[in-house]
Amino acid sequence: MSHSFGFDNMSDISITMYLFLSKDSLKFSFSSAFIILSYKFIIFSNIIFVDDEEIQRINRQYRNIDRVTDVISFALCDDPDNQMEDELGDIFIDLDQAFRQAEDYGHSITREVAFLAVHGYLHLCGYDHITEEDEKVMFAKQDEILKAAKIERK
């Protein structure tokens, strides 16, 4: 089993030290996800860090929702022109919102970003939380992945 992640920073927030400290946590979270979801092939996802302004623009443009959100995922399998079978898609994480949520929930920014990344990743894998039943399944899977990665609420 092999996996790869691209990281990009489109945010104005200075996160050099954050990324230095957190990439391993994110990779460990995704390694746990691969094990739990039983993936046995090479897979690639991009994690793109943005700010409030950019996530709101993306949300407005692609979802017709004109507000800030914490994470948005775009699965490449929804695109009929996609020829890359080993690439799931892109995960956009709003770091401004992630910092606010970490403070509101009383846990680290590393935990919050790992949570958002796993949440976005599960969306790329087809999980959703539109119905109450789907939400239970998806949230249980996220908790299982984060626990396996030793990233828990404190």
Side-chain angles (χ1 to χ4, degrees), residues 51-65:
D51 59 15
D52 282 343
E53 183 179 334
E54 180 64 9
I55 202 92
Q56 185 169 354
R57 184 195 67 74
I58 293 167
N59 209 12
R60 181 176 53 247
Q61 181 176 347
Y62 294 100
R63 299 179 66 224
N64 294 317
I65 300 173

Side-chain angles (χ1 to χ4, degrees), residues 44-89:
F44 184 84
S45 294
N46 291 305
I47 299 175
I48 303 154
F49 297 104
V50 298
D51 59 15
D52 282 343
E53 183 179 334
E54 180 64 9
I55 202 92
Q56 185 169 354
R57 184 195 67 74
I58 293 167
N59 209 12
R60 181 176 53 247
Q61 181 176 347
Y62 294 100
R63 299 179 66 224
N64 294 317
I65 300 173
D66 192 14
R67 69 171 188 258
V68 169
T69 189
D70 50 8
V71 62
I72 297 177
S73 300
F74 293 102
L76 292 180
C77 62
D78 291 343
D79 181 356
D81 296 328
N82 178 31
Q83 300 299 317
M84 296 182 67
E85 295 176 4
D86 61 344
E87 187 169 351
L88 281 178

Side-chain angles (χ1 to χ4, degrees), residues 114-126:
F115 168 82
L116 294 173
V118 168
H119 184 89
Y121 179 74
L122 287 174
H123 278 300
L124 293 179
C125 293

Side-chain angles (χ1 to χ4, degrees), residues 108-146:
S108 72
I109 185 63
T110 298
R111 193 270 178 210
E112 185 63 23
V113 170
F115 168 82
L116 294 173
V118 168
H119 184 89
Y121 179 74
L122 287 174
H123 278 300
L124 293 179
C125 293
Y127 289 85
D128 214 329
H129 47 85
I130 295 172
T131 69
E132 191 174 317
E133 182 62 30
D134 288 344
E135 181 178 284
K136 285 179 187 175
V137 170
M138 182 176 180
F139 287 14
K141 192 62 67 177
Q142 310 160 165
D143 290 344
E144 182 181 5
I145 291 166
L146 291 167

Side-chain angles (χ1 to χ4, degrees), residues 15-32:
I15 60 165
T16 304
M17 184 56 86
Y18 164 73
L19 287 175
F20 175 75
L21 296 172
S22 297
K23 277 188 179 180
D24 286 341
S25 296
L26 289 174
K27 286 179 183 178
F28 192 56
S29 296
F30 280 99
S31 295
S32 298

